[in-house]
Amino acid sequence: MTQLELLLPFAMPPAEMARDLLRELKMPSLAMLLARSSRSAHQVFDGFSRALPHEYWLTRQFDSDNSPALATSAMRSFNLPAETGVWFILQPVHLHISRDHLVLTDTRQLQLAESDARALFDIVQPLFEEIGKTLVYGDAQTWFMRADDWHALRTSTSDAACGHNIDIWMPKGPRERDWRRLQNEIQMHWHAHAINEQRETRGLKPINSVWLSGGAEAEKTSEANTKFEEAFIFLNERNSFTALTKKQIPITSSADIFDAKPQHGLLVLDNLIGPALAGDWSEWLMCFQSMEERWFAPLLQALQDGRLDKLAITISHNTVYSTFAISKSSLRKFWCKPALARLAS
């Protein structure tokens, strides 16, 4: 049996804009898939959760009172060793002042070059060595820190904190003061540095802080814990969530998925996150509409001709996710007219 689970973060528009946005979408294949499916899961979160609903969905086996424990899985995706210890993801970020508090900017907007990121990394690495912490470089947006004695820190993902007062989402726990002290030192070392001055002359936001998340014990996180046999990833794309799966298969199109005959595969299409977090609904519409021909029409056809036995689609926004299950037999529900109404459910 071949089955695929498709995750569409932020495919649900805000309730107050749903009617107008859905009216603009012309997606007959997705409308057919959703209308003739059955809802198999639904969960609502409060607005102060330390991770977004789709992030929780992806890492259900981890503690729901923390950001998903992705650090060591992410390190595997970079081919970095993490055999022992407690590791965290560290992201170079931009904080801006809004009235009387600091707000985290979406990291997708920073356009941080590898050369600049390497230089910023080298500047602060001695600070970690001084306090007995290990700092490891992944790429421009993703660094890693080993801090065994900070294992009890409760952190939040950068996407969950994006656009909000960071005080609510900052790390909490017995060693939070130690973290804030280190964070402050990093901020001082980067303040008014030539790299940031050059970024500002190019119209880019300065990199003025770091964000901590994803704490994981190396011995307790293994890809063997997941139900997914395969994760489909675009060529040259790295995803710390898909690193949790047993096998990652590079793809360039939907045809590659069907050729692989997945026993239980995972496909994450996450290009709606950026526009949604930025409130750029025109860009959201264009990104979503582009998925119809590339993904939804081929998935519908694959169900109809038997190349795919089961499909589950999980959609979300910032406080809820819903999962809808579809099979070839459920497509026979001719009385269910194609509609996108479930995107607003």
Side-chain angles (χ1 to χ4, degrees), residues 164-200:
H164 302 296
N165 181 346
I166 64 168
D167 284 344
I168 300 172
W169 279 270
M170 286 285 282
K172 308 293 183 185
R175 290 301 184 85
E176 64 180 271
R177 290 186 179 180
D178 294 339
W179 160 247
R180 293 206 180 202
R181 189 178 301 112
L182 175 60
Q183 184 184 40
N184 287 337
E185 289 190 37
I186 292 170
Q187 290 171 169
M188 287 188 291
H189 277 69
W190 286 348
H191 178 68
H193 192 277
I195 289 174
N196 277 323
E197 290 179 354
Q198 292 166 10
R199 285 180 58 84
E200 291 186 274

Side-chain angles (χ1 to χ4, degrees), residues 249-266:
I249 302 176
I251 62 171
T252 58
S253 69
S254 57
D256 295 333
I257 296 176
F258 310 134
D259 290 343
K261 297 180 174 60
Q263 296 180 44
H264 196 167
L266 169 67

Side-chain angles (χ1 to χ4, degrees), residues 1-38:
M1 176 176 289
T2 59
Q3 52 185 323
L4 179 70
E5 298 209 26
L6 170 61
L7 179 62
L8 294 171
F10 284 94
M12 288 182 173
E16 67 275 12
M17 302 177 66
R19 179 177 295 182
D20 293 336
L21 289 172
L22 296 186
R23 187 185 298 121
E24 297 298 318
L25 290 172
K26 311 302 178 187
M27 307 175 78
S29 298
L30 178 60
M32 175 75 79
L33 290 168
L34 290 175
R36 299 189 178 178
S37 66
S38 57

Side-chain angles (χ1 to χ4, degrees), residues 166-304:
I166 64 168
D167 284 344
I168 300 172
W169 279 270
M170 286 285 282
K172 308 293 183 185
R175 290 301 184 85
E176 64 180 271
R177 290 186 179 180
D178 294 339
W179 160 247
R180 293 206 180 202
R181 189 178 301 112
L182 175 60
Q183 184 184 40
N184 287 337
E185 289 190 37
I186 292 170
Q187 290 171 169
M188 287 188 291
H189 277 69
W190 286 348
H191 178 68
H193 192 277
I195 289 174
N196 277 323
E197 290 179 354
Q198 292 166 10
R199 285 180 58 84
E200 291 186 274
T201 62
R202 301 197 305 269
L204 300 175
K205 294 179 173 61
I207 307 300
N208 57 14
S209 191
V210 286
W211 193 259
L212 188 74
S213 65
E217 293 184 51
E219 297 86 352
K220 292 186 177 180
T221 54
S222 169
E223 68 273 16
N225 294 328
T226 182
K227 67 179 182 180
F228 297 114
E229 296 292 332
E230 310 95 349
F232 297 98
I233 58 172
F234 301 111
L235 290 175
N236 302 318
E237 181 180 89
R238 184 178 285 107
N239 188 303
S240 55
F241 287 107
T242 56
L244 290 166
T245 57
K246 297 175 182 177
K247 180 169 60 174
Q248 297 185 60
I249 302 176
I251 62 171
T252 58
S253 69
S254 57
D256 295 333
I257 296 176
F258 310 134
D259 290 343
K261 297 180 174 60
Q263 296 180 44
H264 196 167
L266 169 67
L267 174 64
V268 182
L269 302 179
D270 61 3
N271 54 335
L272 297 178
I273 299 176
L277 291 179
D280 188 345
W281 299 109
S282 176
E283 179 68 17
W284 182 89
L285 283 169
M286 287 192 295
C287 288
F288 207 175
Q289 186 65 53
S290 69
M291 295 183 193
E292 170 69 11
E293 183 176 352
R294 185 177 185 186
W295 297 108
F296 303 129
L299 286 169
L300 175 60
Q301 186 61 50
L303 279 171
Q304 291 171 332

